[in-house]
Amino acid sequence: MERPAAELTVGQLSDRSGVPISALRFYERQHLISSRRTAGNQRRYSRDTLRRVALIRIAQRVGISLADVREMLSTLPDDRVPSRVDWQRMSEQWRSELEERIHRLQQLLDEFTECVGCGCLSIDRCLLANPDDVLGEQGPGPRRLG
């Protein structure tokens, strides 16, 4: 059985990760992943880059900024493939942020029809839910969703 190559070309990384080459180049410009250059100036990526790209895509999917991803990836070791413990530490650090985001979204969903004070919803509801526009005196925007 043929042993997998120690390094991947940008095309191989794209094929294996499902991420377009242009996105991989963007990730590299943003210092999210790195490559070495061959004598012919071709990019070569270590195999652990596949895991990093997967993490980047998952983080983006749940709304974590690329700046936060870059900061977290900078804590991973350069001299070895990141372990399950490394990945677990990273996910735990993001967990509270994600739970807070979920809480805010759930609050928005639960109170969406009661949002008052911003002028964007039905005026006839405002008279019932916010008599005399007392919340409007506190300033613009949705006052009950803070």
Side-chain angles (χ1 to χ4, degrees):
M1 182 155 101
E2 187 176 326
R3 189 172 175 188
E7 294 182 312
L8 302 168
T9 66
V10 69
Q12 291 168 326
L13 182 60
S14 175
D15 289 344
R16 293 281 313 274
S17 66
V19 175
I21 291 173
S22 59
L24 294 172
R25 289 181 178 143
F26 174 77
Y27 292 163
E28 194 165 352
R29 285 192 307 274
Q30 298 299 311
H31 305 286
L32 297 164
I33 61 174
S34 62
S35 66
R36 74 168 186 87
R37 298 294 183 131
T38 66
N41 202 30
Q42 297 174 334
R43 289 177 168 91
R44 293 293 185 266
Y45 297 91
S46 62
R47 293 188 63 74
D48 66 290
T49 306
L50 278 169
R51 290 184 184 168
R52 291 173 188 256
V53 170
L55 174 80
I56 294 164
R57 299 298 284 192
I58 291 167
Q60 284 182 301
R61 195 170 183 185
V62 297
I64 296 171
S65 74
L66 289 180
D68 287 345
V69 173
R70 179 178 41 252
E71 182 180 326
M72 193 63 71
L73 287 174
S74 73
T75 69
L76 293 178
D78 289 330
D79 60 339
R80 65 173 170 79
V81 174
S83 68
R84 184 177 302 273
V85 171
D86 294 324
W87 296 119
Q88 185 175 358
R89 176 184 47 81
M90 291 172 56
S91 67
E92 287 172 359
Q93 289 184 7
W94 280 329
R95 185 176 184 86
S96 63
E97 178 186 334
L98 292 173
E99 286 174 344
E100 176 60 27
R101 189 174 301 153
I102 289 167
H103 173 74
R104 287 192 314 264
L105 287 171
Q106 187 63 50
Q107 182 182 17
L108 178 62
L109 180 63
D110 292 345
E111 297 182 13
F112 183 71
T113 57
E114 298 300 320
C115 176
V116 294
C118 65
C120 67
L121 297 177
S122 172
I123 292 175
D124 63 327
R125 295 257 334 170
C126 289
L127 293 175
L128 296 173
N130 184 22
D132 302 319
D133 194 25
V134 293
L135 292 174
E137 295 171 11
Q138 296 176 16
R143 309 312 310 165
R144 296 179 66 188
L145 293 178

